[in-house]
Amino acid sequence: MAEELQVEMQTTVCQAPRETLQAMAKDFELDISEQRKSTIVCMIFNHIDKELMDKNEEQRMLFLTEFRSRYFKSAEPKEKDVSESVPPVKQNAGQSQSTLQGMLESTSVFRRQFKIVGQIGQPNEKDKLSFTSLTRQIDTGVKQGYAEQEIVGGVIRAINGGMVLRSYVETYKDLSLERLRKILRNHYDVKSATELYQSLASICQGSKETPQEFLMRALDLRQKILFSSTQDQSEDTLVYENDHIQKLFLRTVETGLQDENVRVRVRGYLRNPTISDEELILQVNNAVSTENERVAEKAESQDNILKTLEALKVEVAQVKSQLKDINQETEQARLPDSPGPVDTRNQRRNMPN
């Protein structure tokens, strides 16, 4: 019956307008740019064949029925309900109708393959996924209902092909998601919540670090502690309460800020354990801006004083030069008159021969 429905859908796809084919190709993530209609139809057929390859008769019927309902509503039988063409699903007494719905979702033509956005590389490697980002994507996949093995496969595909880690996990048969999480945690050398707690308690602003950068570093550490407490479920892992970590974080920021003026301006906010991160970031930014303006005004005032002093030095030098000239003229005026020049020609005439 599934084969007959597939043949029917192939005929319907061949007769479909180009707009419908483009919608299918978009849902199937097929690149049909500058392709003829016949080529697009073949690409869609190939995709459907791949989707049906590993499915049983029941799943194939569900897949094709949903496909027809999605793109060719007018092709659905009117006299006979679509559900009648689907073989009945045998359910145990404890099963609910959600089982059929889950199967329908798992075979949906619109359901994307689970993919990790980004690539898993060496720890701290630039432009590669961090452990936190990777874990959040895995958790999102679990919430969206992806099967465990599908998530495991997506994570393995995201590992850099040249890494030993990939060949290592690929050798595992029936690798569970929980075990994969532990392997990844060890690969990234993730610190425990206790180690992160100690780091948060001892950090301070670096010499080349702005107050805003220091605040974000402290916020990041705080979140890593809370995240690690929920992810690491080993027996020796301490679970820290949010209120306790928040108080430690605020105390660390207050004592770690280097600029006393900035610290004084935000001290009142840092002693409020219910303050939001956004409000704290805003107040630190305001305090830094105010302090920068004060320093700039002070520097400008000092520059003006220096310029005034330089101008006074020039004026003093000019006055000294003028006084020197006056003194020289005065000294010359005080000297006695010097005798005039003697006419030696008359003396020569009066001399005896």
Side-chain angles (χ1 to χ4, degrees), residues 35-49:
Q35 297 290 350
R36 294 183 300 176
K37 181 178 178 180
S38 59
T39 305
I40 298 175
V41 170
C42 291
M43 294 171 67
I44 293 174
F45 285 167
N46 292 335
H47 182 84
I48 293 176
D49 289 339

Side-chain angles (χ1 to χ4, degrees), residues 327-339:
N327 289 335
Q328 289 178 352
E329 293 176 358
T330 303
E331 290 295 331
Q332 290 179 358
R334 290 178 179 177
L335 293 175
D337 295 338
S338 57

Side-chain angles (χ1 to χ4, degrees), residues 227-240:
F227 180 77
S228 181
S229 296
T230 59
Q231 292 294 319
D232 190 358
Q233 302 297 331
S234 57
E235 295 180 357
D236 57 345
T237 300
L238 295 176
V239 179
Y240 296 97

Side-chain angles (χ1 to χ4, degrees), residues 58-214:
E58 184 177 310
Q59 293 172 334
R60 288 159 65 92
M61 283 298 301
L62 288 171
F63 181 95
L64 293 169
T65 301
E66 185 182 358
F67 177 82
R68 179 173 60 185
S69 176
R70 169 68 175 176
Y71 299 107
F72 308 106
K73 292 183 179 180
S74 59
E76 295 182 8
K78 297 181 180 180
E79 298 180 358
K80 187 177 181 180
D81 186 55
V82 176
S83 60
E84 296 179 6
S85 62
V86 182
V89 181
K90 295 181 179 180
Q91 296 184 352
N92 296 329
Q95 288 182 320
S96 64
Q97 190 65 24
S98 61
T99 305
L100 179 60
Q101 181 65 23
M103 183 180 295
L104 185 63
E105 291 179 354
S106 65
T107 59
S108 173
V109 295
F110 318 112
R111 187 176 183 83
R112 302 287 190 269
Q113 183 185 43
F114 179 77
K115 293 181 180 179
I116 294 293
V117 180
Q119 195 173 39
I120 301 172
Q122 297 295 343
N124 300 322
E125 185 177 356
K126 188 177 180 181
D127 299 329
K128 300 299 181 183
L129 280 172
S130 66
F131 177 74
T132 303
S133 176
L134 175 60
T135 303
R136 289 197 178 280
Q137 291 190 56
I138 293 174
D139 292 340
T140 300
V142 173
K143 291 179 181 179
Q144 291 177 346
Y146 284 95
E148 180 174 319
Q149 288 304 311
E150 190 174 357
I151 296 176
V152 170
V155 174
I156 293 176
R157 287 191 297 272
I159 301 175
N160 194 325
M163 293 177 58
V164 178
L165 174 64
R166 177 159 182 170
S167 62
Y168 168 68
V169 295
E170 285 179 336
T171 57
Y172 273 97
K173 184 178 180 180
D174 299 330
L175 178 62
S176 66
L177 183 58
E178 181 181 358
R179 187 167 191 176
L180 180 59
R181 285 179 185 268
K182 293 180 179 179
I183 293 173
L184 292 171
R185 189 179 185 88
N186 292 329
H187 167 71
Y188 279 98
D189 193 20
V190 179
K191 291 183 178 180
S192 66
T194 303
E195 292 174 317
L196 294 170
Y197 180 91
Q198 293 172 351
S199 297
L200 179 61
S202 59
I203 63 170
C204 60
Q205 182 182 347
S207 58
K208 296 182 179 180
E209 192 176 32
T210 65
Q212 294 95 325
E213 291 171 342
F214 169 63

